[in-house]
Amino acid sequence: MAWPRDDAKLERVRELMAEEELDALVVRAPDNVLYLMNFWGMKGYDACVFPREGEPVLITIEASEEDAARTAWTEDVRLIRGYDPEDSGPPIARTLDAAVEAARDYERVGLELSLGTQASDRMVGEPTTFTAAWFDAFAEAADATPLLVRARSLKTKQEVERLRLANEIAAAAMEHVRSELRVGMKEAEAAALWQGFVHGEGTGWHGQVELALPFSLVWAGRGIKTFTSTGDLPVVEGEPVLFEIWVCADGYWADHTKNLVIGELRHDYAELETALMGVYGAALESIRPGSSMAELDRTVRDGVAAMGYPGQPTHPICHGVGARAHEPPYPHQAGGGTFEEGMVLAVEPGAYWPGGGGLRVEDNFLVTAAGVEKLSSFPDGVVQAG
C-alpha cells in the first residue's frame, strides 16, 4: 500500500539531526530504509541518503523500480543493476558507489555504526550483511543509530495505524487456529495453520496490506521452553499450546505470545496461569508516561520470583515494537529511562518448568496519557480451542 508521506515522523528525524549537527543520514538496514522512505526492498540491496534539508535519495535495484515508484516518499530514486555484464562484484557494491555519490556534498554524515539487529527484506531467506567497505567509504561518519533509536521509539499516528493492522492480522490468525486445533496435531502443523492464515489472508488485508509475512515458534505442553525451535510434539488435551508469533505487515510488526488449550486446562497449568496473569496485569497497570523502565523490569522479575520461579524469565520482559519485532526501548533493572506517550511495547512475562512446560503471555500496547492500550483483540492467558 502506498502510504502518504508521514511528515510528523520525518520532521522529528530532521529535528534530531539538527541537534546532532548532521547534514545527512546514510542508512541501509531494511527497517531504517522503510522508516525514512516507506520502501521495503526485496533483496537488501537498498540504501537511503536522507538530508536534513532537501530531497532524500533512494537507491535500489532496477527490478524494484515499479515498487519504488509506487511506495517511496521521494522523487529521487537511483537504480543500480542487479546484474552488470561489466562488473562481477555483488550488487551491494554498486549500491555503495551510488550512496557515496549521493552523499558527496554533505559535510557531516551519520551512519549506522552501532546497529545491533535489523529487520529483513521481503525475501527474508538471505539477509544482506554490512562489510568493511561500507564503513570505510564514510570514514568520518558519526554514529546515527542513537538518533534513529530516539526517533523510532515514539510512534506517529500513521505508525500506530500500521501496527494496528499487524496486530489485527495476528489476532485473526489465532482465531483461525483456535477453531482448527485438534488433539494429536503436531506443533509444526499448528504453526502452519497460523502461518498460512497470516500470509494468505493477511496479504491484501482490508485493502491496506500489500504483503503480510508470518514468523512463529509453537510448542505443545512439555515442549514449552524459553527458546527452542518448533518440533513435532503432539497437542495433548488439557495442556497448553504456546504460540510465539510475529506478523510483519508491509514492514511494521506485531509480536505476541498466545496460548490455546483443548479441554479443561490441567490443574498445575491453571495455577501457573492465575499467578502469571496477576504479574502481567500489575505490570500493565504500572506503565504510565514518566514511570521507570528499570522499576518495571525489577517488579515483574520480583513477582515471578515470588511465584516460585527465581531468576526467571531469562528473556526480556518488555521491548519496543515498530519497524522491527524487537526494537528499543529495552527496559532493564540495571538501566535507566522512563516510558513516554507514543511508545508501543511488547510486555511478556513468563515462567518455565525444569525439563519443559510453562507459560508466557505477551501482547502489544500503546502508551497513552492514561496508561496502556492493548492493540490486539485476542485474549491473553490460556484460551479454549477446538
Side-chain angles (χ1 to χ4, degrees):
M1 177 179 174
W3 289 86
R5 190 177 64 199
D6 192 346
D7 289 324
K9 177 170 67 175
L10 302 185
E11 283 306 309
R12 174 173 169 77
V13 173
R14 288 189 167 108
E15 289 171 4
L16 293 173
M17 291 172 68
E19 288 182 18
E20 301 293 328
E21 298 182 335
L22 292 177
D23 298 315
L25 305 178
V26 179
V27 304
R28 59 154 296 207
D31 44 313
N32 284 329
V33 174
L34 174 83
Y35 183 76
L36 295 172
M37 285 285 91
N38 195 47
F39 178 78
W40 188 23
M42 286 294 296
K43 292 288 289 181
Y45 300 144
D46 320 289
C48 167
V49 177
F50 185 84
R52 194 167 77 201
E53 298 178 0
E55 183 77 2
V57 175
L58 173 65
I59 301 158
T60 189
I61 55 176
E62 291 174 329
S64 293
E65 181 177 8
E66 183 180 333
D67 288 346
R70 186 180 67 258
T71 64
W73 291 335
T74 184
E75 296 295 323
D76 193 346
V77 179
R78 303 185 188 181
L79 303 174
I80 59 106
R81 289 183 170 187
Y83 172 82
D84 188 334
E86 299 178 355
D87 182 357
S88 63
I92 195 64
R94 292 186 281 278
T95 301
L96 174 56
D97 290 342
V100 169
E101 177 60 31
R104 188 177 302 280
D105 294 333
Y106 299 111
E107 182 176 347
R108 184 166 164 77
V109 170
L111 210 65
E112 299 148 309
L113 296 180
S114 57
L115 186 70
T117 59
Q118 66 180 47
S120 187
D121 53 71
R122 284 189 283 171
M123 280 292 290
V124 178
E126 292 182 314
T128 56
T129 59
F130 288 74
T131 63
W134 185 267
F135 300 107
D136 291 345
F138 302 94
E140 303 301 319
D143 186 6
T145 298
L147 182 155
L148 288 164
V149 164
R150 289 175 63 194
R152 287 176 52 169
S153 292
L154 300 181
K155 272 50 179 186
T156 62
K157 181 179 179 181
Q158 182 186 113
E159 289 187 284
V160 173
E161 183 179 355
R162 297 176 73 162
L163 289 164
R164 289 187 193 279
L165 289 170
N167 273 263
E168 285 177 16
I169 295 167
M174 281 306 304
E175 291 290 357
H176 172 69
V177 178
R178 183 181 184 181
S179 67
E180 298 292 330
L181 194 68
R182 299 290 182 268
V183 170
M185 185 178 286
K186 292 189 301 184
E187 294 165 320
E189 291 174 311
L193 280 174
W194 185 84
Q195 290 190 346
F197 185 97
V198 169
H199 192 37
E201 298 295 327
T203 298
W205 185 259
H206 297 168
Q208 294 179 281
V209 176
E210 185 171 299
L211 176 64
L213 293 176
F215 303 85
S216 69
L217 294 170
V218 177
W219 308 309
R222 61 185 174 85
I224 297 173
K225 297 178 181 178
T226 54
F227 197 73
T228 188
S229 61
T230 298
D232 63 355
L233 289 175
V235 174
V236 175
E237 185 172 354
E239 296 184 2
V241 182
L242 186 151
F243 290 74
E244 166 58 61
I245 47 178
W246 299 353
V247 168
C248 182
D250 292 338
Y252 275 81
W253 296 71
D255 178 9
H256 300 167
T257 305
K258 301 300 178 185
N259 302 272
L260 299 177
V261 67
I262 295 177
E264 192 71 22
L265 186 63
R266 212 172 70 192
H267 178 69
D268 51 354
Y269 275 113
E271 286 188 342
L272 178 60
E273 178 195 18
T274 298
L276 188 61
M277 290 300 291
V279 172
Y280 184 58
L284 299 178
E285 284 293 323
S286 73
I287 298 174
R288 297 285 188 277
S291 64
S292 166
M293 292 185 185
E295 189 60 29
L296 175 75
D297 186 52
R298 187 180 302 109
T299 298
V300 168
R301 293 182 187 281
D302 287 349
V304 173
M307 291 166 48
Y309 300 90
Q312 293 201 34
T314 58
H315 55 75
I317 56 86
C318 183
H319 61 83
V321 183
R324 287 207 312 270
H326 292 77
E327 64 179 36
Y330 294 102
H332 192 287
Q333 60 185 298
T338 59
F339 294 107
E340 297 182 56
E341 187 173 355
M343 288 180 172
V344 174
L345 309 169
V347 181
E348 52 175 322
Y352 308 91
W353 297 337
L359 288 175
R360 177 160 77 243
V361 290
E362 178 185 18
D363 212 304
N364 299 160
F365 299 88
L366 171 66
V367 180
T368 73
V372 294
E373 176 192 345
K374 189 173 185 287
L375 297 185
S376 165
S377 62
F378 198 81
D380 295 311
V382 183
V383 177
Q384 291 285 327

